[in-house]
Amino acid sequence: YDIPGKVFILGEYSVLADGAAVIATVGPRFGMRVFRRDAECSFFDAGPFHPKSPAARLVDFAIRQDHDVTDLAFGFEDFCCGKGGLGSSTAQFALVYLALAGKLGWETRWQKVWKLYRELAGSSVFVPSGADLIGQWVGGVNVVDLNQQQCFDVFPVFDWSRLLVFSATGQQGRKVATHEHLSGLANTGFLSGQSGLLRDLKNLTNEAVGAIKNNQPMRLGEVMDEYADSLSAVSLESSETKADRAALRNMSGVIGVKGCGAMQSDVLLVLMGASQDFETRKKVVDLALSRGLELVEDSLTFQMGISCQKN
């Protein structure tokens, strides 16, 4: 089984208040091997998941539904090498779900997978949106609207070769734990107390969707900058991301820079004005690498959604 990683092009934070999100899938892909094993060996004896992770909760749910899944062993392959930031937690959940679906006859429409993901996360103070799970399950670049339960692919209508994707989580202390961050937001009354900010973020995301549909890279770059600035203005951007963003935005050929993830700290997206200007692109990549960022996608390519090969 394998599934792509993900990045939020726009929509993190606003998706928590029923706004839309634009989610791109990236490689290399997460993988999982599922083995038959001795039925007396419990899942947690050899399972690769944290007991409180979504994947572990999913297996526990199956057991509570009187399904015998103790004969399965899971081997998760993480291209992030444990650094996180590109959807490893949702990838684990999706891959385990697909494996169990084949055994138990569960539905595999994304709506069903997403609904169960949300239900199993319901004990949290602040439930994750699950929009990233949908993007990874479907593949491509998707506009996800949780309020309408809609998802449509916009990869074919925009020149995504302009987009560079860098990971920042290889730097010590850079990664912000999403679960803890969301819980902190809940305790500060984020959804009720930031109505003006959330309205602006929703509007910017909608503008970005229009720019993508009309293949307007300059406008998309402007909206990426505005979205990042809006979060930065209310201290929802790490100081490291802010410095990286400023340095890369000043480079020739760059028309938009935005962080992704909690505090925009996990990933840095760089949108180029010309996709085929390789010399300019190389200078941008070299600067990013010199700042300790890791190149994930030199040119965003199409990624299929979740897939399975039976052996």
Side-chain angles (χ1 to χ4, degrees):
Y1 299 84
D2 62 70
I3 193 171
K6 60 78 190 171
V7 294
F8 275 88
I9 296 178
L10 282 108
E12 63 268 65
Y13 291 103
S14 60
V15 76
L16 299 169
D18 296 325
V22 183
I23 301 169
T25 50
V26 299
R29 300 167 70 86
F30 297 102
M32 182 174 290
R33 296 183 181 185
V34 182
F35 306 92
R36 296 284 182 182
R37 63 174 176 180
D38 188 285
E40 295 181 358
C41 179
S42 71
F43 169 77
F44 293 117
D45 286 340
F49 317 120
H50 188 281
K52 293 184 179 180
S53 69
R57 290 183 181 186
L58 177 58
V59 174
D60 182 61
F61 167 80
I63 293 172
R64 286 188 281 108
Q65 297 297 309
D66 295 326
H67 295 304
D68 183 11
V69 297
T70 57
D71 60 333
L72 299 181
F74 303 87
F76 183 61
E77 300 167 351
D78 183 359
F79 75 83
C80 294
C81 302
K83 298 172 186 174
L86 291 170
S88 60
S89 176
T90 43
Q92 288 179 358
F93 181 92
L95 292 166
V96 171
Y97 184 100
L98 190 61
L100 295 181
K103 179 180 174 68
L104 305 175
W106 289 350
E107 288 191 50
T108 55
R109 295 184 299 118
W110 69 257
Q111 292 89 342
K112 289 290 185 179
V113 185
W114 171 73
K115 182 180 179 181
L116 183 57
Y117 176 84
R118 295 271 294 180
E119 288 175 357
L120 295 180
S123 60
S124 302
V125 176
F126 207 32
V127 180
S129 71
D132 42 358
L133 170 70
I134 297 170
Q136 289 171 274
W137 190 273
V138 175
V141 179
N142 283 277
V143 177
V144 177
D145 186 334
L146 299 180
N147 191 39
Q148 299 295 323
Q149 292 198 23
Q150 294 179 345
C151 173
F152 57 91
D153 187 15
V154 291
F155 187 89
V157 299
F158 188 82
D159 180 11
W160 294 107
S161 66
R162 299 172 180 272
L163 190 67
L164 307 177
V165 181
F166 298 93
S167 172
T169 56
Q171 300 175 18
Q172 187 173 5
R174 180 79 174 248
K175 178 76 175 80
V176 175
T178 302
H179 177 75
E180 295 176 6
H181 180 62
L182 292 180
S183 297
L185 286 179
N187 293 332
T188 61
F190 174 78
L191 292 180
S192 60
Q194 301 285 349
S195 58
L197 169 66
L198 291 169
R199 182 184 61 249
D200 292 343
L201 296 180
K202 288 180 182 180
N203 290 338
L204 286 170
T205 302
N206 291 335
E207 289 186 40
V209 172
I212 291 167
K213 287 181 176 179
N214 294 309
N215 196 20
Q216 298 173 321
M218 292 300 296
R219 182 54 188 149
L220 177 59
E222 292 171 353
V223 175
M224 288 170 61
D225 287 339
E226 291 175 36
Y227 197 100
D229 288 340
S230 295
L231 291 177
S232 183
V234 293
S235 301
L236 287 175
E237 179 181 44
S238 69
S239 58
E240 296 89 350
T241 299
K242 187 172 184 177
D244 286 338
R245 203 161 54 89
L248 289 164
R249 190 63 184 85
N250 285 331
M251 292 290 289
S252 173
V254 174
I255 59 175
V257 184
K258 177 186 168 293
C260 305
M263 297 294 292
Q264 302 189 76
S265 62
D266 297 348
V267 171
L268 208 69
L269 302 177
V270 179
L271 190 65
M272 303 297 297
S275 60
Q276 301 302 319
D277 187 349
F278 298 110
E279 186 62 32
T280 299
R281 178 186 292 250
K282 183 178 183 303
K283 292 179 180 178
V284 172
V285 172
D286 288 345
L287 176 62
L289 296 178
S290 74
R291 298 185 63 84
L293 301 171
E294 299 178 28
L295 184 62
V296 175
E297 289 270 13
D298 188 7
S299 173
L300 190 68
T301 55
F302 179 80
Q303 290 289 328
M304 293 178 57
I306 194 168
S307 67
C308 168
Q309 291 184 338
K310 291 190 177 181
N311 187 329

